[in-house]
Amino acid sequence: MTCKEARKLIIPFIHDELSMEDTRDFLQHVRGCKACMDELEIYYIVEVGLDGSGNDDINYNMTAALHSHIREAYQRIFIIFLGQVFKYVVNTLMIFGVFIIAMMQLRNWFF
């Protein structure tokens, strides 16, 4: 992902509007690109600061809030990944089970 592409995804990332793949690619780029991370921090401070301006419990440590948001995004990616792995495992076991049942049925028919 280029810096230009990453900068287009900053606002959707802040609002949790990216797909799992886009979020993963975005976070991978931001982790390795200081300029994009700085840009993300600036946008996050502006977006969250303006959004929470009427709230009495404002979290003034926006950098910590951003890192918490990033950590939550990684957790969502991991949970979705585990769900996909679980789905593949269950499908594989079901196919294996159908194969075993078919073999047992063929054994009953022919022997």
Side-chain angles (χ1 to χ4, degrees):
M1 175 175 287
T2 65
C3 290
K4 187 176 180 179
E5 293 170 338
R7 288 183 177 149
K8 288 180 183 178
L9 298 177
I10 289 175
I11 298 299
F13 171 75
I14 292 171
H15 295 293
D16 295 324
E17 297 170 349
L18 296 177
S19 68
M20 180 185 76
E21 291 84 15
D22 288 340
T23 302
R24 185 188 63 228
D25 294 342
F26 174 77
L27 289 174
Q28 184 177 8
H29 176 81
V30 168
R31 183 175 45 193
C33 180
K34 181 165 175 24
C36 289
M37 183 62 174
D38 291 343
E39 192 86 14
L40 174 60
E41 286 182 9
I42 291 167
Y43 274 95
Y44 189 82
I45 289 168
V46 170
E47 285 287 317
V48 173
L50 290 177
D51 186 38
S53 59
N55 191 353
D56 291 338
D57 326 332
I58 297 174
N59 182 3
Y60 291 105
N61 190 351
M62 293 295 178
T63 304
L66 172 61
H67 290 291
S68 175
H69 186 78
I70 291 171
R71 197 171 34 256
E72 290 169 2
Y74 276 119
Q75 288 172 348
R76 283 192 304 273
I77 290 170
F78 184 69
I79 288 170
I80 290 170
F81 173 74
L82 285 180
Q84 289 175 340
V85 168
F86 181 73
K87 182 177 77 172
Y88 291 131
V89 167
V90 168
N91 285 339
T92 302
L93 290 174
M94 287 179 17
I95 290 170
F96 186 69
V98 167
F99 177 75
I100 294 295
I101 291 171
M103 288 293 138
M104 292 173 69
Q105 189 63 37
L106 286 173
R107 183 175 155 222
N108 285 339
W109 286 343
F110 295 113
F111 298 108

